[in-house]
Amino acid sequence: MSTALNAARRATELAELADGAGVDVVVIGGGITGVGIALDAATRGLSVALAEKHDLAFGTSRWSSKLVHGGLRYLATGNVGIARRSAIERGILMTRNAPHLVKAMPQLVPLLPSMNTASRVLVRTGFVAGDGLRKLAGTPASTLPRSRRVDRRRAIELVPAVRRAGLAGGLLAYDGQLIDDARLVTAVARTAAQHGARILTRVAASNATGTSVTLTDQLTGESFDLTARAVINATGVWAGEVDPSLKLRPSRGTHLVFDAAAFGNPAAALTIPIPGEINRFVFAMPEQLGRVYLGLTDEDAPGPIPDVPQPTAAEITFLLDTVNTALETTLTRDDVRGAYAGLRPLIDTGEGRTADISREHAVTESPSGVISVVGGKLTEYRYMAEDVLDRAIELRGLTAGECRTRNLPLVGAPANPVTTLRAQVELPGSLVARYGAEAHNVVARATCERPVEPVADGIEVTRAEFEYAVTHEGALTVDDIVDRRTRIGLVAEDRDRVLAVAEEFL
């Protein structure tokens, strides 16, 4: 089937379901876990519908650090299982599922006088253990290079803004980095659609039971009941709203957005151990669109769950204070171009700091029969989807094939069999970085004028990408285009400059 998600396909598929077409599996939630479940179900031969109240990657899945972690921090707390799984899943993403979206990111820990010998030994030991995890996972060094020590000159080349006084080189390691988390969600959703899944955004799910759910089109207000053999709740921090028996303890992680020039246009992530912690760091990571993202915090976030969480003043101060210990020139709030916060859907263990709560996921069945998956990490989305679907197949007696997602290339990966047209113009490098093997399609299928022209001066996003967001990636509003299909919206001034252009394509 076509990979294209758009308003016409949405309308057709909603009408089919409203007319009584039952499905094997309903998935509630269009974040990375939900779309992962939809893809797994569709590729096992099950009929599946996914309902997302807002847009793809509307919640936590767009507010991450854009890292595909190898699980190193979990070794420090003795959680070998999740560390090993994370390393395996990182390797699967980098070599099979999404080599176009996940690249090796160098991480530099500068050896400054403020870092004592014990800390240096601990970080170096951790990096060596990370190399061992990489080997255990079967990820080649050509994909993820080995860690090593670098001299002072190389450390400054990698992060020109690093503090010079007393700098004795640095420790360099590598992890996986996404070009963008929301783009991964979109790629998984479109691959699910390619295999027959109905991916329905702006559709709210309510009255969920083990065999039915009420779907309400948020654009028209029309509702209907949908029957299914299994209903799976993958709504992350909102999971308790679908199944009140679930107890979660959300944790807020905040990032700040800077111009890359503030860090000297770094080639590596500046990585600073948090004093007094054995497995937590602050990262200043080079990102697309000429930005650096600085994160991250881990704070309790009790109370009602907001649609869009907000960073606190204390978190902003903490991030600036920590990164400034390793910088030659002090950064202030005036240097901050944007900020964002996301909520981790942690399982409530009743005590301790959120930073110490396990990142394991859990699969549960509610008294009403709804199957929920809670907890977990973006890196492990594929494994979590496989786990919850295995449970659903067992509990509901579904007839399904084996899981295929371990070796399945997503849309945009070179091995995905999407018909590729040849664009008759040279493609911008930033477009290729976001779309991989599909980049030519973005331009060749464009009907707009000046398809490879930037949407605004100095912003490396083309007009063709705005159009493709609407015709192929399910964008229904300006916010979908600006805040999730592209990440222009992270900087308010840039967002304002492109709104009128986005309107053109709707």
Side-chain angles (χ1 to χ4, degrees):
M1 291 183 69
S2 168
T3 68
L5 297 175
N6 49 47
R9 180 170 181 163
R10 175 186 179 278
T12 298
E13 293 180 342
L14 262 178
E16 291 169 354
L17 296 176
D19 285 345
V23 294
D24 294 320
V25 177
V26 170
V27 182
I28 307 173
I32 188 61
T33 307
V35 296
I37 296 165
L39 174 58
D40 197 339
T43 52
R44 294 192 197 209
L46 297 169
S47 58
V48 56
L50 179 147
E52 162 55 49
K53 182 165 70 171
H54 297 291
D55 181 32
L56 296 173
F58 182 83
T60 303
S61 294
R62 66 169 154 150
W63 302 129
S64 77
S65 295
K66 328 303 178 208
L67 289 177
V68 177
H69 273 304
L72 183 56
R73 67 169 292 192
Y74 307 107
L75 278 184
T77 54
N79 197 331
V80 178
I82 196 169
R84 180 174 175 273
R85 283 202 311 272
S86 295
I88 289 171
E89 293 301 321
R90 176 183 64 184
I92 290 171
L93 272 165
M94 294 186 79
T95 61
R96 285 172 263 172
N97 293 166
H100 61 305
L101 295 177
V102 192
K103 307 294 183 188
M105 181 184 76
Q107 298 175 302
L108 178 77
V109 178
L111 297 175
L112 291 162
S114 56
M115 190 177 181
N116 62 32
T117 302
S119 294
R120 295 181 186 201
V121 170
L122 196 63
V123 171
R124 183 70 191 115
T125 303
F127 283 177
V128 170
D131 291 338
L133 273 178
R134 175 189 59 76
K135 289 180 183 174
L136 187 68
T139 307
S142 57
T143 298
L144 211 58
R146 299 176 183 86
S147 65
R148 63 186 188 276
R149 181 167 176 164
V150 296
D151 62 19
R152 172 187 168 90
R153 180 187 60 80
R154 182 63 178 144
I156 293 169
E157 282 179 359
L158 289 167
V159 184
V162 70
R163 186 182 292 269
R164 310 295 170 90
L167 179 66
L171 300 174
L172 188 65
Y174 291 80
D175 211 343
Q177 182 183 32
L178 283 162
I179 182 74
D180 185 60
D181 45 10
R183 292 219 60 77
L184 177 67
V185 175
T186 302
V188 176
R190 290 182 57 211
T191 311
Q194 183 181 25
H195 290 273
R198 296 177 172 99
I199 306 295
L200 305 170
T201 60
R202 299 299 190 298
V203 174
S206 58
N207 306 321
T209 72
T211 56
S212 68
V213 66
T214 301
L215 297 185
T216 303
D217 184 345
Q218 301 291 82
L219 303 183
T220 65
E222 295 175 6
S223 295
F224 61 90
D225 293 329
L226 177 64
T227 59
R229 298 183 64 191
V231 176
I232 300 177
N233 170 22
T235 55
V237 285
W238 293 277
E241 296 178 9
V242 178
D243 175 7
S245 69
L246 292 173
K247 293 292 178 279
L248 296 182
R249 186 177 169 190
S251 155
R252 187 176 54 253
T254 286
H255 293 80
L256 308 181
V257 181
F258 296 85
D259 286 332
F263 289 83
N265 297 302
L270 180 61
T271 305
I272 306 149
I274 297 174
E277 304 273 357
I278 63 168
N279 64 337
R280 288 185 63 209
F281 298 84
V282 164
F283 302 94
M285 299 161 288
E287 302 283 347
Q288 62 166 327
L289 304 182
R291 306 290 182 216
V292 163
Y293 300 164
L294 173 66
L296 117 133
T297 61
D298 200 325
E299 300 294 330
D300 248 322
I305 306 297
D307 278 351
V308 180
Q310 296 298 321
T312 65
E315 288 173 297
I316 293 170
T317 298
F318 163 76
L319 290 172
L320 285 170
D321 287 350
T322 304
V323 77
N324 279 328
T325 65
L327 294 180
E328 182 74 3
T329 303
T330 300
L331 293 177
T332 71
R333 286 173 182 251
D334 290 340
D335 296 299
V336 178
R337 298 293 309 280
Y340 65 88
L343 298 179
R344 304 173 183 89
L346 304 180
I347 299 165
D348 191 357
T349 57
E351 58 187 27
R353 303 181 311 161
T354 55
D356 299 326
I357 295 177
S358 170
R359 269 48 175 173
E360 290 278 6
H361 74 276
V363 177
T364 66
E365 185 180 15
S366 75
S368 69
V370 174
I371 300 166
S372 295
V373 55
V374 291
K377 293 157 33 63
L378 180 147
T379 303
E380 290 195 288
Y381 84 88
R382 191 210 63 80
Y383 172 81
M384 290 162 60
E386 180 179 356
D387 190 28
V388 69
L389 209 54
D390 283 346
R391 183 76 65 87
I393 289 166
E394 180 185 352
L395 287 172
R396 301 290 180 262
L398 301 177
T399 301
E402 294 294 312
C403 176
R404 293 173 48 201
T405 54
R406 182 176 287 261
N407 297 304
L408 190 76
L410 301 179
V411 170
N416 186 292
V418 172
T419 302
T420 301
L421 306 176
R422 295 300 296 179
Q424 301 304 309
V425 294
E426 187 174 345
L427 301 181
S430 57
L431 185 152
V432 175
R434 286 187 285 273
Y435 287 88
E438 200 188 17
H440 278 279
N441 277 358
V442 177
V443 176
R445 294 186 186 279
T447 60
C448 63
E449 296 178 354
R450 309 180 307 282
V452 295
E453 185 177 292
V455 290
D457 287 344
I459 296 178
E460 292 183 329
V461 175
T462 63
R463 290 168 52 80
E465 289 172 80
F466 273 21
E467 181 177 345
Y468 207 72
V470 174
T471 59
H472 286 72
E473 296 181 337
L476 300 174
T477 69
V478 165
D479 291 352
D480 295 352
I481 297 171
V482 175
D483 296 332
R484 289 171 288 275
R485 301 308 178 276
T486 69
R487 302 315 289 274
I488 297 169
L490 287 175
V491 175
E493 304 100 276
D494 289 349
R495 191 180 196 280
D496 291 342
R497 289 200 293 141
V498 303
L499 289 179
V501 184
E503 288 278 7
E504 282 181 42
F505 295 100
L506 294 165

